[in-house]
Amino acid sequence: MLSGFSTSRTGVDGLKTSLTSFQIDCFAGTTNQNGFRIITVVLEATDPAADNSTPFTLTNQLMNFVYGHWRTTSLVQKNQSLDDFKEIAVTDGKEKSVQLVDPQNITPVVPYATDGSADTKSLTIKFSKKNSLS
């Protein structure tokens, strides 16, 4: 998957090859495209003597599938809150509610919608308040 080879791929930044005693190739690779990192693992690509590029070809196909069907989308920016979920009620506190602000960006992986946008319809936000008092 390194440059100069027939199965090279831009963006691959980590890889590990192995060969079992049963002549079965295995390969793990990582790549990052537009801030979306994936890790792929191909196990049991048989008969490396006949074609030692099989695990790399399969990895390329797997990476193409993931990047072709899934994407990241920005749900909440750092130090911001969701439009519909800005605060939560507080029981027996000094304040009646507190703002919900995330200290980091929240960027879930979602499938592509038919129009090419991020399909966020299936995302749900849940929380639970657990009482730590005995």
Side-chain angles (χ1 to χ4, degrees):
M1 303 216 62
L2 302 172
S3 65
F5 291 89
S6 62
T7 56
S8 69
R9 181 184 186 99
T10 303
V12 172
D13 57 2
L15 51 94
K16 173 67 177 110
T17 60
S18 69
L19 178 67
T20 69
S21 60
F22 299 106
Q23 295 298 305
I24 296 173
D25 266 341
C26 302
F27 180 73
T30 67
T31 185
N32 189 331
Q33 287 184 204
N34 301 318
F36 178 12
R37 173 169 300 284
I38 60 172
I39 301 169
T40 58
V41 178
V42 172
L43 301 173
E44 298 188 11
T46 57
D47 201 10
D51 182 5
N52 67 355
S53 68
T54 300
F56 313 117
T57 301
L58 292 172
T59 297
N60 261 324
Q61 290 172 354
L62 183 56
M63 288 178 174
N64 287 340
F65 179 85
V66 171
Y67 285 125
H69 290 85
W70 298 85
R71 60 172 285 180
T72 58
T73 189
S74 178
L75 190 59
V76 178
Q77 294 294 317
K78 181 179 180 177
N79 298 322
Q80 300 293 315
S81 60
L82 285 170
D83 291 337
D84 297 334
F85 207 58
K86 292 188 180 281
E87 61 183 31
I88 188 169
V90 175
T91 305
D92 297 330
K94 262 185 172 178
E95 304 292 328
K96 294 196 183 285
S97 65
V98 293
Q99 287 190 319
L100 295 175
V101 177
D102 204 287
Q104 61 188 9
N105 293 336
I106 298 177
T107 53
V109 175
V110 296
Y112 277 104
T114 54
D115 66 359
S117 65
D119 184 0
T120 58
K121 289 181 226 158
S122 62
L123 291 178
T124 57
I125 298 173
K126 296 180 182 181
F127 72 95
S128 82
K129 295 191 294 183
K130 292 186 179 183
N131 188 349
S132 60
L133 300 175
S134 306

